[in-house]
Amino acid sequence: MFVIITYDVNEKRVGKVCKKLKEYLTWTQNSVFEGEITKTQFLKCRKAVESIIDPMQDSLYYYIIENPRHLKKELHGHEKGDMDIFF
Amino acid sequence: MFVIITYDVNEKRVGKVCKKLKEYLTWTQNSVFEGEITKTQFLKCRKAVESIIDPMQDSLYYYIIENPRHLKKELHGHEKGDMDIFF
């Protein structure tokens, strides 16, 4: 499956969230991670990241496309995708 | 089609970009817009927003799912989706 995860997390927790998501997916820009992932790995990822956030303040959106062929991805402009600026 | 647009735009231009995207799609959180849109409207939206950004500095990611049934969307935590904080 292909998954896009976007997050809006308090800055106190954002570093931890990014670090965890990075274990499973690829950072694209700002608060967006994406990538192909197995169902098992995705459930593990969700569980881990949901245990970090405060659901009363923070939010995570999951966009799940079972078959990656059903997704078309296009970039306009400058590609970042270099997480080193954060870590 | 269903479209997710994420952006990383210099703060000088970000207000204009949000305003334009809001004409076509729904804001979910941070730098993410999404929604069902016709191909014609999507092309119009792209053209408009690409004329605002500086492709050397800014970036726009388009995730396009032709058939919205191929996308599953889930939220964990607190739903925002209220653009008024920006305008």
Side-chain angles (χ1 to χ4, degrees):
Chain A
M1 54 175 34
F2 192 94
V3 168
I4 303 151
I5 302 183
T6 72
Y7 56 85
D8 186 353
V9 172
N10 185 289
E11 58 181 25
K12 282 181 246 166
R13 293 176 287 274
V14 78
K16 263 191 164 181
V17 166
C18 283
K19 219 170 159 179
K20 187 50 72 183
L21 289 173
K22 205 189 160 196
E23 288 177 25
Y24 297 90
L25 297 162
T26 307
W27 179 72
T28 52
Q29 52 163 218
N30 285 339
S31 47
V32 183
F33 279 80
E34 55 156 66
E36 279 196 53
I37 190 168
T38 64
K39 204 166 183 168
T40 314
Q41 282 299 95
F42 176 54
L43 291 175
K44 244 176 103 175
C45 172
R46 275 187 76 152
K47 205 176 163 185
V49 85
E50 287 175 9
S51 74
I52 299 167
I53 73 156
D54 174 355
M56 297 299 284
Q57 280 187 51
D58 308 331
S59 62
L60 292 161
Y61 278 89
Y62 305 107
Y63 300 93
I64 304 151
I65 301 108
E66 288 283 349
N67 187 339
R69 281 187 309 169
H70 291 141
L71 172 75
K72 212 167 89 191
K73 188 184 143 188
E74 288 176 32
L75 163 69
H76 179 82
H78 179 69
E79 190 165 24
K80 266 193 190 172
D82 183 0
M83 267 245 100
D84 294 340
I85 56 167
F86 284 147
F87 297 104
Chain B
M1 53 175 35
F2 192 94
V3 169
I4 303 152
I5 302 183
T6 70
Y7 56 85
D8 186 354
V9 173
N10 186 288
E11 59 181 24
K12 281 181 246 165
R13 294 176 287 275
V14 78
K16 263 190 164 182
V17 166
C18 284
K19 220 169 157 179
K20 188 48 74 183
L21 289 174
K22 204 190 159 194
E23 287 176 27
Y24 297 90
L25 297 163
T26 308
W27 179 71
T28 53
Q29 53 164 216
N30 285 340
S31 48
V32 183
F33 278 80
E34 56 156 65
E36 279 196 53
I37 190 168
T38 64
K39 203 166 184 168
T40 314
Q41 282 299 96
F42 176 54
L43 291 175
K44 245 175 103 174
C45 171
R46 276 187 76 150
K47 205 176 164 186
V49 85
E50 287 176 7
S51 74
I52 299 168
I53 73 155
D54 174 356
M56 296 300 284
Q57 282 188 48
D58 308 330
S59 62
L60 291 161
Y61 278 89
Y62 305 107
Y63 299 93
I64 304 152
I65 301 109
E66 288 283 350
N67 186 339
R69 281 188 309 169
H70 291 141
L71 173 74
K72 212 166 89 189
K73 187 186 144 190
E74 288 176 34
L75 163 70
H76 180 83
H78 178 70
E79 190 165 25
K80 266 193 189 171
D82 183 359
M83 266 246 100
D84 295 339
I85 56 166
F86 284 147
F87 297 104

